[in-house]
Amino acid sequence: MNNPLQLSLVNFKKGSYIIVEGKQKADYFFIIRGGNVRISKEVEVVEEEGGNLLAPGDFFGVVSTMSSHSHIETAQAVTDVSLISVHRDQYGLLIEKNAPVAMKIIQQFSKKMRYLDEALTRITLKSTGGEDPSHLFKVAEYYARQSQYNLAYYAYYQYVKNSPKGENITLARERMAKIQPYAKVVYLDAGTEDFTRSYPKDTMIFSENQPGQELYIIQKGAVKIAKIVNDNEVLLALLKPGDIFGEMSILEDKPRSASAIAYEDSVLLAVNKVNFSRMVSSQPQMITRLTQLLSERIWFIYKQIANTQLTNPLGRLYDALLIQLERSKISLGSSDSYTFDFGPKELINLVGLPKNEGNGVIRRLFENPKVKIIDNKIHVTDVQEVEKQAGYFRKMEKIEKARRQGSLKTS
Ligand code: CMP
């Protein structure tokens, strides 16, 4: 048993497996002291930046450990290795002892999030959002068309401010003048001494692509994270009190990767860069929470991307249900019933199937007597069934892939 106040050292011989994807609930992650470790995944969802061969100072297993899920990767010792093992509950201790490592972890996570966000939009929508401030004009135009003038006005304002030489400046100013009487906008920017911020429902906290100087901790209310891709609003997350957002700009010195909109009247605590650096050493619990949230997001987005790689649409539906069960930490071993908080329509959206194809697949899903609809919500009479079906389709996929590769080799 580990002493809770001491991080322990472990050694692995060349060739041995340190963690195995999907196999165990992750409780420990590792920091390499000596040697090399290779990371691999069953479904290589996207080519990882920086390669898969890790060296001293690198870490692995953090996402699954800090989000309390099963491992999403396999790690094998390429040489004899010496590792520092960190239990989930020791993370605060790690921050106190070694703040730079904790910073490195969250910085790398932030980069990974951005990379995965982009990969998912590329795969599902065959597009990436605009990257420069001129995209702010598109954001504004989208919300103006939806008659969401608070949001539109805010985005026009940011466009004019950040793209003063932009080609649509005159148009933006004209639109602003026109919608001003209908727009409620809260201008609270970094530099304000008071760090408590209040936003009425349906106002913009910040817009995608504007520069960012603060991150926020939700005290009250709810916040929607969304971005405009192909002239459509893509919902990334709905956040609740205790959640943190806006950290990516701060950690990477980049513009906002998505917009944050008050979904209800909301009160936020703003943390600027200087205060954030102080917090790393003075408030390890806040950094622990941030790491957990980032881990959850990364875990979820990995699973979503892996889902898009499945070819059988019915298999994708079962896999999506399984992801939701795991996300809600439902014990998969039990034969309890479970009601999801969404219906068939949302499930089709969730996996991004076109409507006509989606309806046919949904019909096939309900041919399974253990899957029903109750009050327009999907209900399974036995959670094990979801895992069983998802596992079956995954196995078929593997066989099919092997067959294809085999026939490629022989042809
Ligand atoms: P930042 O880029 O500063 O501004 C937008 C914020 O949205 C970002 O930081 C994250 O905090 C948050 N965010 C981005 N992508 C996601 C996602 N896929 N799920 C949840 N939150 C996200």
Side-chain angles (χ1 to χ4, degrees), residues 110 113-114 116-117 120 206-216 224-227 235-239 244-252 254-260 290 293-294 296-298 300-301 304 327:
S110 177
M113 256 319 288
R114 185 181 298 276
L116 292 173
D117 258 354
L120 187 63
F206 56 69
S207 166
E208 59 180 300
N209 288 36
Q210 79 170 78
Q213 275 97 34
E214 297 179 328
L215 63 84
Y216 302 91
K224 181 168 106 172
I225 304 288
K227 62 183 185 184
L235 175 70
L236 292 175
L238 198 57
L239 308 178
I244 300 170
F245 66 94
E247 75 295 338
M248 286 166 66
S249 297
I250 311 302
L251 292 166
E252 296 174 80
K254 290 219 166 133
R256 298 295 187 190
S257 62
S259 299
L290 181 58
L293 287 169
L294 283 171
E296 285 281 353
R297 282 180 205 160
I298 291 174
F300 182 53
I301 203 163
Q304 281 177 297
R327 201 181 181 200

Side-chain angles (χ1 to χ4, degrees), residues 208-274:
E208 59 180 300
N209 288 36
Q210 79 170 78
Q213 275 97 34
E214 297 179 328
L215 63 84
Y216 302 91
I217 306 168
I218 306 177
Q219 311 273 295
K220 241 188 353 230
V223 171
K224 181 168 106 172
I225 304 288
K227 62 183 185 184
I228 305 299
V229 187
N230 290 348
D231 253 347
N232 258 315
E233 187 185 63
V234 179
L235 175 70
L236 292 175
L238 198 57
L239 308 178
K240 52 184 193 322
D243 282 345
I244 300 170
F245 66 94
E247 75 295 338
M248 286 166 66
S249 297
I250 311 302
L251 292 166
E252 296 174 80
D253 254 327
K254 290 219 166 133
R256 298 295 187 190
S257 62
S259 299
I261 298 163
Y263 191 68
E264 292 167 10
D265 289 352
S266 298
V267 180
L268 313 175
L269 181 69
V271 180
N272 61 27
K273 263 188 208 170
V274 176

Side-chain angles (χ1 to χ4, degrees), residues 344-345 348 353-365:
K345 233 197 236 153
I348 298 174
L353 288 174
K355 222 170 159 197
N356 47 354
E357 188 186 354
N359 290 339
V361 189
I362 280 284
R363 258 197 307 279
R364 284 175 55 210
L365 178 70

